[in-house]
Amino acid sequence: MATKIEDVDLIVIGSGQGGVPLAVDHAKAGKHVVLFERGRLGGTCVNFGCTPSKAYLAAAHNAGRARNAAPLGVHADIRIDGDAVMDRVRRVRDEWHDGSEKRVAGAGIDLIRASAAFTGERTVSAGDRSVRAPRVVIDTGTSPAVPSIAGIGDVPYLTNLTWFEQPAPPKRLIVIGGGYIGVELGQGARRLGSDVTIVHGASHLMEREEADASDVLRSSLEADGVRLALGTTVESVAMHGTTIVAELSDGATIEADALLLAAGRTPNTPDLTLDASGIAIDARGFVRCDEYLQTSCSGVYALGDVAGQPAFTHVAWEDYRRLTSTFAGTPRRRDDRVLSYTTFTEPQLARTGMTEAEAREKGIGAESQTIQLADVARGTEWNLETGFMRLVVDGADGRIVGATFVGYEMGELIHTIGFAIELGATWHDLDRFVAIHPTFGEGLPSLARMFV
Ligand SMILES: Cc1cc2nc3c(=O)[nH]c(=O)nc-3n(C[C@H](O)[C@H](O)[C@H](O)COP(=O)(O)OP(=O)(O)OC[C@H]3O[C@@H](n4cnc5c(N)ncnc54)[C@H](O)[C@@H]3O)c2cc1C
């Protein structure tokens, strides 16, 4: 007998960063909302991404800072309690996860804990439930990509889904991938005592970033003792007893106790049978959306990572705000935002808006100025001289269009520039601003004056 289709007000597939608040708001407004989730409630960020990785880095960077205090005359004898580090990581993660559970239960959402698939137009099914709604939101995120390497199926590799389940950091670690996940977790593991090699196919870590920013990361990771195999790929992996042996394209062989795959992400769309609702995907499998996050099927929207956009929690969350506005009758475009992000290595690599090259590609006569942190009082006084601040402006009117800040906790300071872009400020505005001495922020008016 065919399953009876229930008509509801809103269907959300995936409890990621945009899906949950959207479901909660609608349920609290008295709508019948069905939320499908096949894994842990709260999605990647809370369970396998931002939250556990930053709790992990909190331990790692405290160890790194203590070790780096020697030039100040402070000599620390560091002892890492790996079990305690990982226990705390899981505790912090579980607190956030439990918060998601309470939020969803408290809002009266009809939660179906199963893998959902489209079975008709705006109709979604899992197990013995089949629901249809005028609006369906796909928030299914991405999964770690598994590169095709000889022997990969025979080796107990780790991904972000399993990394935080380890009882303690591994003794010897190979990381495949020098993107932001690879460098954050690789440096973190090194600072917690692991012997780490990062293997990356491109000649630069995080090769989409400016070369000098990437170079600062490279030298900082090397100073920590991370080994980098750049412009190199892993050709094969095999188990020799309990040891993982990786053969590299340059002929080298590395032995390790753990292998972390951080070599890209694949969209969670294959299981959704999107064609049943006429929803198109792009060549890489991400859901095709217009500027209002609307898919090729009327009434079906996608948000967050699966919509093929910069993969950050704040992007998914901002999509929720945009869809809320659109559903209320005041459509908001997906691109009406200043994108900012940070790689939480030490030093951090923080970005907002456009680089000079990106601005030029858009036809803007962009100019940039760069100040080294060694030329800012805060940098020299605190022995935090590694890195720089770069400001990008439109040469025509001085309007600020972007910035790259590399240095200690630069993810905080970059917000000032993101906000300045949002307000349409120019370098002249920044020049007028009186900064506090001696902070890194003091470098901002100094940077502005370099455009005179
Ligand atoms: C290690 C790591 C560190 C990160 N650090 C940061 C950071 O510091 N800052 C930052 O901004 N971003 C960070 N990110 C990225 C961030 O986690 C993602 O951009 C964000 O979680 C995307 O949210 P989302 O809503 O698109 O989907 P997700 O959070 O991925 O949620 C998707 C949900 O959909 C569920 N699902 C999938 N298919 C189905 C189905 N068929 N049926 C039912 N449920 C389904 C999944 O189980 C999952 O729970 C990090 C990511 C990783 C991996």
Side-chain angles (χ1 to χ4, degrees):
M1 199 177 71
T3 313
K4 184 177 169 303
I5 298 174
E6 303 163 55
D7 282 299
V8 302
D9 298 310
L10 175 70
I11 299 169
V12 178
I13 312 175
S15 67
Q17 294 306 301
V20 169
L22 204 64
V24 166
D25 287 358
H26 281 74
K28 283 190 170 167
K31 307 282 185 204
H32 185 171
V33 179
V34 173
L35 170 64
F36 290 94
E37 174 52 64
R38 68 181 182 190
R40 272 169 71 99
L41 213 62
T44 304
C45 179
V46 168
N47 297 295
F48 313 105
C50 331
T51 302
S53 67
K54 268 72 235 181
Y56 183 81
L57 291 180
H61 291 329
N62 270 296
R65 287 168 196 175
R67 282 192 200 100
N68 291 341
L72 308 175
V74 176
H75 301 277
D77 188 11
I78 309 293
R79 185 181 64 84
I80 307 289
D81 180 346
D83 296 342
V85 169
M86 297 311 288
D87 279 350
R88 175 181 174 272
V89 166
R90 286 187 285 270
R91 212 166 47 244
V92 174
R93 174 198 67 185
D94 291 346
E95 273 168 23
W96 280 86
H97 165 259
D98 295 351
S100 301
E101 291 277 355
K102 282 197 192 101
R103 225 170 136 210
V104 167
I109 292 166
D110 186 353
L111 173 63
I112 301 177
R113 294 182 192 266
S115 187
F118 284 86
T119 47
E121 205 172 68
R122 287 179 295 280
T123 306
V124 183
S125 305
D128 60 358
R129 296 280 303 272
S130 229
V131 288
R132 177 172 53 207
R135 282 194 183 125
V136 182
V137 176
I138 305 168
D139 179 21
T140 51
T142 61
S143 294
V146 179
S148 52
I149 294 169
I152 194 78
D154 304 324
V155 169
Y157 59 77
L158 298 164
T159 67
N160 70 295
L161 298 174
T162 45
W163 178 258
F164 304 104
E165 295 304 328
Q166 296 178 95
K171 209 161 167 304
R172 298 168 300 171
L173 170 71
I174 299 169
V175 180
I176 300 185
Y180 85 90
I181 295 174
V183 295
E184 283 186 4
L185 295 182
Q187 187 188 34
R190 175 68 198 142
R191 288 185 156 201
L192 291 171
S194 303
D195 184 356
V196 178
T197 305
I198 300 179
V199 185
H200 188 53
S203 57
H204 276 79
L205 292 169
M206 300 185 61
E207 66 277 11
R208 285 196 210 114
E209 303 298 340
E210 292 146 286
D212 54 355
S214 167
D215 285 343
V216 174
L217 281 198
R218 176 191 181 140
S219 51
S220 300
L221 263 63
E222 285 177 339
D224 272 355
V226 175
R227 269 190 301 277
L228 298 174
L230 301 178
T232 309
T233 51
V234 175
E235 298 289 293
S236 70
V237 285
M239 292 305 295
H240 288 190
T242 54
T243 299
I244 298 169
V245 179
E247 305 280 352
L248 307 193
S249 55
D250 61 4
T253 299
I254 320 176
E255 297 193 347
D257 306 297
L259 173 70
L260 171 66
L261 301 186
R265 314 279 305 168
T266 55
N268 291 329
T269 50
D271 300 340
L272 287 171
T273 53
L274 293 166
D275 6 336
S277 191
I279 301 159
I281 53 172
D282 68 15
R284 294 182 306 146
F286 290 93
V287 178
R288 265 188 205 283
C289 299
D290 69 9
E291 59 272 43
Y292 298 101
L293 297 164
Q294 158 84 56
T295 70
S296 52
C297 175
S298 164
V300 180
Y301 296 80
L303 61 75
D305 291 5
V306 78
Q309 46 193 355
F312 300 107
T313 285
H314 42 284
V315 169
W317 195 79
E318 274 300 314
D319 287 348
Y320 141 70
R321 301 217 311 166
R322 274 150 186 77
L323 280 187
T324 299
S325 193
T326 300
F327 291 174
T330 44
R332 272 189 75 183
R333 298 173 61 92
R334 73 199 287 196
D335 58 0
D336 71 342
R337 61 181 140 218
V338 178
L339 179 70
S340 310
Y341 57 86
T342 295
T343 300
F344 293 87
T345 41
E346 208 150 272
Q348 294 179 355
L349 193 166
R351 285 273 316 275
T352 188
M354 294 177 273
T355 61
E356 186 176 347
E358 286 166 354
R360 285 182 180 274
E361 269 168 35
K362 288 203 153 77
I364 297 170
E367 295 170 11
S368 70
Q369 292 292 347
T370 303
I371 190 169
Q372 300 298 322
L373 297 189
D375 295 328
V376 179
R378 170 84 204 271
T380 48
E381 287 159 3
W382 292 69
N383 190 41
L384 295 169
E385 296 183 340
T386 305
F388 61 80
M389 293 191 266
R390 173 169 301 136
L391 190 67
V392 185
V393 304
D394 183 337
D397 55 9
R399 205 169 35 93
I400 299 167
V401 297
T404 302
F405 291 179
V406 185
Y408 181 83
E409 295 290 353
M410 283 290 150
E412 301 298 335
L413 194 58
I414 200 81
H415 287 89
T416 20
I417 302 300
F419 190 49
I421 299 173
E422 193 74 55
L423 296 180
T426 66
W427 66 258
H428 304 275
D429 298 315
L430 207 54
D431 174 29
R432 274 197 299 278
F433 166 71
V434 181
I436 298 165
H437 174 76
T439 61
F440 284 126
E442 207 178 10
L444 299 177
S446 305
L447 251 181
R449 272 161 223 147
M450 292 167 82
F451 287 100
V452 177

